Every structure is written in C-alpha cells, then in structure tokens.
Amino acid sequence: MRLESDWWIELESTYIQRVAQRKELHSKYGHTILNYLPGSELACRELMFTVIDFLQKRYPFQFSFQPRSGLFENKILGIIEDVNNVEPLFFLLNHVPEDFMIVQKDSSTNKYHLRAGVSCSAIGWNMKDKMGKPLHEVHQPVPLYEQSLRHSMDRYFDKLSCDKPIQRGSWTFEAGQPLFLQVEDPGYAAHKQYNPELRIEDVHLRVDWQTLRRLPESGAIVFNFKALFTPVTEFRKEPYIPQLVARVLRDSQTSIKDYKSWQHLEHKLLPALDQWAQEQRDLGVVPPGWEERTLDEHPFYPGWDYSL
C-alpha cells in the first residue's frame, strides 16, 4: 500500500526498552547488526538527516534539532548529540527502534545491492552475511522469489519515485517474542521446536511492518521495518480473523510453512482459531456460511477502532 508520509516512523510505549535492547545487541554482535560499505556514506548521511527532519516535525515535544550547531536533543532518553561527530547508522541505532537498510544500484551489474544498514530484528540472517549482495541473494531463501519476483523487483526499484513511498506487512507466528536470533544462538533451534506443553497465551503474531522509499539526493533506496508482536489471544475478539487465519494456515504451501516456521505451533494455533471462529458464528458476529476472503476493511477487520 502507499505510505502516508506522516506515519513513516511511529513511536510506541516500548521505545526506551527497545532502544536499550538494540544497543545491547550491537555491543554483542557488532558488524552482524550494523555494517556499511565504501560509497554508501552520502546515502547514510542523507538518511540520518531525513530521519531527524521527520522526528522533530512529527514529535516536536520529544525531539528537537538545531541545524547551525548540529545538536539533536532526544527528550525521551535525555540525550543531546552532535550529529557532526557521529556515524549516521550509529545515530539511528541510538535513537530509532527500527531497522534501516540502504540499497544502491551497482553500475557493473545494473542491479541493486545492499550497501549499508542497521538491523536488530532479524531471525536467521544478518548484515555481515548479506552486505554487498544483490537483491535476489539478500532474499535467499524466500520461497518463490527467484521464480516470481527477482526480475520484477529490480524493475520496480528502478521506477520507485521519491514522492511515492510504500508500506507492507510480512508476518509469521512465534512462541514468545524473539526479536533477533542467529543460527549459532542456543535459542535459535529451540524457537522452532515442537513443545507439547506450549500455551496458546504464549503464541504471538509477529508482523514486520516495512516501508520502502527513495532518497532524493543520493538516489539510494531505503528499506526500513520494525517488528510488532501481538498475542494470538487478541484474535478472539476480532471478527472474521480466527476463521480467516485458520484458512490461510491450512492452505499455505509447504515451502511457505517451512520458511515461516510455524508448523510447530499449529497444534495450539488451529484448535484455538477453530474454537474462536465457532464462538463468533454462535454469537452472530460472523454469519453462517461465510466464505474466507480478503476483508473489505483490509488490513483491518470490521469494527476495528483506532482509538482503542
């Protein structure tokens, strides 16, 4: 969907904890979290100032910036930072609880390559391994990318204009709320294992809410996202959602299930979703015989109220 520019970066109640968590992850993983290649400096700096401009205008009571002195004040964290003496990606790490990745077109391959980024919300891949690679290698092992998306994505990036940023949500289910895990981490294998004692209260929908935009000066494309976790039990009060999600889970291709790694949760997910769907039919919230489909209110559900 097209991105409304006012909603590019959204602050949440978890802001302080998330920033601290991301800084701790960087201190542990280093270049696995934050990395950049020569030639990306202009794009990184442009991104930093684009973010600063957005933050001070969107959240004037939380952030301020003095262009002449270069002083940026973060009133939430109680920090004043001189942007002239900080690496741009470190600035983003210290102040914005979202991931940013910069891709630039390579003149030798005529393809877009990952050139810089800070990413603290990845499961199973990292900046160090992906740095410098073209889009189709960055997206390995996304199912069907090579067959269906590889060529169209490069063409789409070519056409992306500065005034038309987009947004999308990528989702899966997780036991708990794992933000960042690497293959060598002890918890990586455990988070994919079947647990007969798992409680439905511990299962969460993870949505990586993503935006894509082109920077006007450098021409680089910025991909940024943040991970949002919602307890699956919230679905119980959302009309149509349990029945719709159960259908999606059952009908998904094996390659998608393997990639998103939710099979080990289905023994708790599907019975709960079926029970809640039946409750909604019994209450008349969902009419009998309703056929699962994309809702008219997409990406919301009937009766959704943003004020809640």
Side-chain angles (χ1 to χ4, degrees), residues 1 9 14 25 35 52 55 63 66 73 141 143 175 184 197 201 208 210-211 221 252 261 267 269 295:
M1 300 178 295
I9 297 172
T14 59
L25 284 168
N35 215 325
I52 288 173
L55 291 177
F63 305 100
Q66 303 299 326
E73 182 176 8
E184 64 272 16
E197 305 301 321
E201 291 82 5
D208 292 309
Q210 308 163 349
T211 79
I221 290 178
S252 292
S261 301
H267 67 293
L269 265 173
L295 300 174

Side-chain angles (χ1 to χ4, degrees), residues 244-263:
L244 180 57
V245 173
R247 174 68 180 273
V248 171
L249 292 181
R250 288 190 168 100
D251 289 357
S252 292
Q253 297 180 29
T254 301
S255 60
I256 298 294
K257 290 187 177 186
D258 290 343
Y259 174 68
K260 291 191 175 279
S261 301
W262 68 53
Q263 305 97 310

